[in-house]
Amino acid sequence: TSPLRRNSWLGGEGNNGLLVARGAITDRRDQRTIDDENADRNIVIRGLARAILQAQGASESNLDQVLGKAAGTFAALRRDRAASGWWIQMPDGSWKKK
């Protein structure tokens, strides 16, 4: 079991689509879990951005312009799917427990 699953207070669903540490992370395994998860999430977010560009008929040179929109869309999905008791960050930056 992931340390973050055992201690849901350690991390929260950030409004940028990434897993965010909530407080000090003292165990390197916990930090590694966050880093590994965010590396995967960044891949998904970039894929979403590419799909947005393809739907718009735009070139990939515009990728940086749609990354924020893709991250926001992914964050909304993660908020919706977060388990009860998990922390979620709202689009305005405020945090609430689901």
Side-chain angles (χ1 to χ4, degrees):
T1 302
S2 162
L4 293 173
R5 294 273 181 226
R6 287 191 317 256
N7 301 308
S8 62
W9 55 270
L10 285 178
E13 295 293 342
N15 64 4
N16 59 356
L18 301 179
L19 189 61
V20 177
R22 290 192 38 86
I25 301 293
T26 58
D27 188 324
R28 286 190 303 194
R29 292 176 301 160
D30 293 340
Q31 187 61 55
R32 206 168 328 144
T33 298
I34 291 171
D35 293 345
D36 290 347
E37 177 66 20
N38 284 338
D40 291 343
R41 290 180 181 208
N42 277 317
I43 291 169
V44 172
I45 291 167
R46 290 183 77 75
L48 284 172
R50 286 187 180 99
I52 291 168
L53 289 174
Q54 187 175 23
Q56 294 175 345
S59 74
E60 195 160 323
S61 64
N62 298 317
L63 187 66
D64 289 339
Q65 295 173 2
V66 296
L67 276 174
K69 180 177 182 177
T73 299
F74 186 68
L77 292 170
R78 296 298 306 181
R79 277 193 303 275
D80 290 345
R81 293 183 179 173
S84 179
W86 274 75
W87 286 97
I88 55 174
Q89 189 177 32
M90 305 311 292
D92 68 2
S94 65
W95 285 93
K96 75 175 196 175
K97 202 167 196 177
K98 186 164 181 185

